[in-house]
Amino acid sequence: MRPHLIRLCFGLATLVLPAGAPPAVAIEAGALSPTTSGAMAQAASPQAIAEYRRKLKEYQEARAAFEAEAGAYWSAISEKRKGRNARRRERQPITLDDYVLTQPPVYAGPKRPVDPSALEEEKPPRKIIPVVADLVKAAAEHFQFTPQRPAAEAEFKRAYARTALAAGLTREQAVRVYAFETGGNGNHDMQSGLSASRPGSRAISTAIGYNQLLTTNSVELLAEQGHEFVHALTEKAASLAGAARKAMDHKIAALKKMVAFTRTVPDDWSAHEKLADTPQGWAVHAMVLDIDVGPLLQTHKLLTSVLFARAKGYTRPLTAAELEMMNLTGDSTGLDMVTMPRATREQVPTSNFFQRGGYERNPVAIRNNTVAKLLAVTDSRMDSSSNQPGARELAASF
């Protein structure tokens, strides 16, 4: 069951932000002797301490005032969202009154001052983000399976195109979403944050492939659609013989075990998220790399949004930008934007579709602060990225 909260990574290239420049000289706190540490702590003059306390008081007062204003704003956002959900359940129309129409408050006070007597705090360790090699290793260890990778990227694109068309997605939807998510040049194993052109780059999430599936997406899709995937592979196996048939039978057996694993918890996003953050969950995510299962996962990531919209009575074909909104924000929240009249889109702030933390970490939503602007920038990026070689190759695969 997909969440109704917006995904923090708005497009692959959007949130890959440059890190701050390192200081010219850094000293490891742990490398200092107690005597040296004490000397540094005592080095601050009484005047510096007094000035620090004065600035700290100013900061705390300004921040408290801002937090009171921001807290009231985001509480109103939450209450309006609950009200819209209730009105939809009762099949009542949604109007402008059901949204907060002002923009979120922005803190403009002084920055928190630096304590002149304090040592630099030790940073917490980075969360481990598995990369493709970790996924493949986990699949071998826990399910005795190695994903079948394509001989060439064009082979994966053709398989994805066939699967997407058979499921009812259009070429425009598939190609433009791919263009947006990967910048128009992504491979089936492209991971968010990693780039061959940027040596030393780090993965910023587990999002992989044409539609940037997270580990939780893969776990959830196998839990909910896994029986369909097994059926599709079983039909394909019927036309094979010899070594190819044996390999497919082994793949089906591994897939069945993975499906059973994903169903050991309730069909709930938070439960799937916990399962995905385990070595077995990493192994499930490795299936996104497989030439047979990967296109099914990529297709159903979008198809679930299309089917959700239809089930809610929205019969008009979704544009690629509208589908991307549902792909990124979750189906219910995305449909809230999609079903909004065009005139209303110009007036409703994007903050209505976020939790506070997600909004404040998403510069795209802040800059494009109405629904109309957010959809427009999505369309614009799709336009430009659709001209990239990878997007053109995918389009030609349909």
Side-chain angles (χ1 to χ4, degrees):
M1 186 175 297
R2 298 179 67 192
H4 297 167
L5 305 179
I6 194 157
R7 197 175 86 194
L8 300 185
C9 294
F10 186 82
L12 179 66
T14 302
L15 293 185
V16 182
L17 303 179
V25 178
I27 301 175
E28 292 290 341
L32 300 175
S33 68
T35 302
T36 305
S37 297
M40 288 182 66
Q42 295 171 9
S45 68
Q47 293 84 356
I49 295 294
E51 179 67 6
Y52 163 72
R53 289 174 177 166
R54 183 187 67 77
K55 290 182 177 180
L56 180 63
K57 184 173 183 294
E58 288 180 356
Y59 165 78
Q60 290 172 332
E61 290 174 350
R63 194 75 203 185
F66 169 75
E67 287 300 329
E69 183 184 6
Y73 179 89
W74 289 102
S75 291
I77 288 285
S78 178
E79 289 304 310
K80 290 285 189 180
R81 184 182 296 119
K82 291 177 184 176
R84 292 197 302 276
N85 291 338
R87 291 177 69 83
R88 286 194 183 89
R89 286 194 298 269
E90 297 168 5
R91 299 187 180 279
Q92 296 180 2
I94 306 297
T95 69
L96 273 175
D97 291 337
D98 295 305
Y99 298 94
V100 173
L101 299 180
T102 56
Q103 295 292 340
V106 178
Y107 179 70
K111 294 181 179 180
R112 185 182 185 92
V114 177
D115 185 348
S117 66
L119 293 174
E120 184 179 349
E121 293 184 6
E122 193 172 325
K123 294 181 180 179
R126 288 178 179 269
K127 176 179 170 59
I128 295 175
I129 298 176
V131 295
V132 166
D134 299 315
L135 307 180
V136 173
K137 181 181 178 183
E141 290 180 353
H142 294 281
F143 294 96
Q144 296 72 55
F145 176 75
T146 300
Q148 180 186 349
R149 308 289 287 275
E153 193 61 32
E155 182 184 354
F156 200 99
K157 285 188 170 74
R158 288 192 295 270
Y160 175 53
R162 287 194 301 270
T163 305
L165 280 177
L169 295 178
T170 67
R171 181 174 73 166
E172 180 189 28
Q173 289 171 329
V175 173
R176 288 175 68 79
V177 170
Y178 160 88
F180 180 84
E181 289 282 4
T182 72
N185 248 346
N187 292 341
H188 73 286
D189 57 357
M190 181 180 191
Q191 184 165 358
S192 180
L194 291 177
S195 173
S197 63
R198 288 186 290 112
S201 59
R202 287 194 183 96
I204 61 173
S205 82
T206 59
I208 290 176
Y210 296 171
N211 297 323
Q212 289 291 281
L213 273 70
L214 300 165
T215 46
T216 311
N217 293 131
S218 293
V219 167
E220 183 152 286
L221 285 167
L222 281 198
E224 296 177 350
Q225 311 292 333
H227 61 288
E228 293 184 24
F229 297 174
V230 169
H231 178 71
L233 265 60
T234 301
E235 283 192 336
K236 184 176 289 188
S239 63
L240 302 175
R245 175 61 184 265
K246 184 177 180 180
M248 182 61 76
D249 287 342
H250 178 68
K251 184 181 299 188
I252 293 170
L255 179 60
K256 286 180 178 178
K257 290 178 184 178
M258 289 182 181
V259 171
F261 165 73
T262 62
R263 293 178 177 174
T264 57
V265 298
D267 185 11
D268 174 81
W269 179 267
S270 60
H272 289 153
E273 191 171 33
K274 291 176 183 177
L275 210 60
D277 195 22
T278 66
Q280 294 93 329
W282 297 1
V284 168
H285 197 38
M287 276 296 189
V288 80
L289 308 168
D290 185 80
I291 187 65
D292 294 307
V293 183
L296 290 167
L297 286 166
Q298 297 287 355
T299 293
H300 279 265
K301 175 65 158 51
L302 302 184
L303 186 62
T304 52
S305 296
V306 172
L307 296 178
F308 181 88
R310 289 177 188 168
K312 295 297 182 180
Y314 191 79
T315 57
R316 184 178 64 77
L318 294 166
T319 68
E322 291 171 340
L323 181 56
E324 182 62 26
M325 287 301 101
M326 297 180 71
N327 183 34
L328 291 174
T329 68
D331 293 330
S332 182
T333 301
L335 191 62
D336 193 354
M337 286 189 272
V338 167
T339 56
M340 190 180 296
R342 293 193 178 278
T344 304
R345 292 177 181 181
E346 299 281 352
Q347 302 175 64
V348 175
T350 55
S351 54
N352 282 274
F353 310 98
F354 285 76
Q355 299 294 332
R356 179 181 176 180
Y359 181 85
E360 291 177 345
R361 290 191 296 270
N362 195 324
V364 176
I366 293 172
R367 287 196 301 269
N368 303 280
N369 59 9
T370 66
V371 174
K373 289 179 181 178
L374 192 59
L375 285 166
V377 74
T378 302
D379 256 326
S380 175
R381 293 188 182 188
M382 287 179 170
D383 287 342
S384 58
S385 297
S386 292
N387 292 319
Q388 295 298 315
R392 293 201 302 270
E393 184 178 57
L394 178 58
S397 300
F398 279 82

